[in-house]
Amino acid sequence: GVDYEEVFEKLPEDRAFIFLRVTAGDEMSKRSKFVFITWCGPATTPMNKARLGNEKGQLKSIMSNFAVEITSDDKNEVKLSNIPELIQKAGGANYGTGK
């Protein structure tokens, strides 16, 4: 229950896992979708990068219901403004009128 922009501003220099709930869809249908973000910042040590894969696998076995998975070391890729487009692409057909 924390605002994503607040989380984004406080992304650590090393690593983090974020499970994000967003509302997606078009004017005909709105639904909740989940995004699993693995953040691997610039200060992540080689040993922690190696651990990241194992920890990510464990988390994915618990939280397996998500529409999009993002693994990134670039803050521009995990901006909230980029996520709706990724969800739309992952969802397949788009029957909305664009309104």
Side-chain angles (χ1 to χ4, degrees):
V2 177
D3 183 65
Y4 182 73
E5 293 301 326
E6 182 180 332
V7 172
F8 180 78
E9 289 174 16
K10 295 180 180 180
L11 275 176
E13 289 296 312
D14 55 356
R15 60 198 177 122
F17 297 100
I18 302 165
F19 198 65
L20 175 67
R21 179 183 172 187
V22 295
T23 302
D26 53 37
E27 70 281 357
M28 298 171 69
S29 172
K30 299 281 186 200
R31 57 210 165 273
S32 293
K33 296 287 184 176
F34 295 93
V35 180
F36 181 57
I37 302 171
T38 303
W39 169 251
C40 184
T44 307
T45 64
M47 186 60 110
N48 281 338
K49 284 182 183 179
R51 288 185 186 123
L52 196 64
N54 183 40
E55 293 169 351
K56 179 178 171 179
Q58 291 175 357
L59 285 172
K60 285 173 70 174
S61 71
I62 297 167
M63 301 181 298
S64 59
N65 187 20
F66 48 87
V68 176
E69 178 180 355
I70 303 169
T71 301
S72 183
D73 62 357
D74 181 359
K75 280 192 172 186
N76 289 323
E77 291 181 9
V78 295
K79 282 186 177 177
L80 187 58
S81 59
N82 295 336
I83 292 175
E85 181 182 349
L86 295 172
I87 291 173
Q88 184 177 6
K89 286 180 182 178
N94 184 14
Y95 297 109
T97 61
K99 294 182 183 177

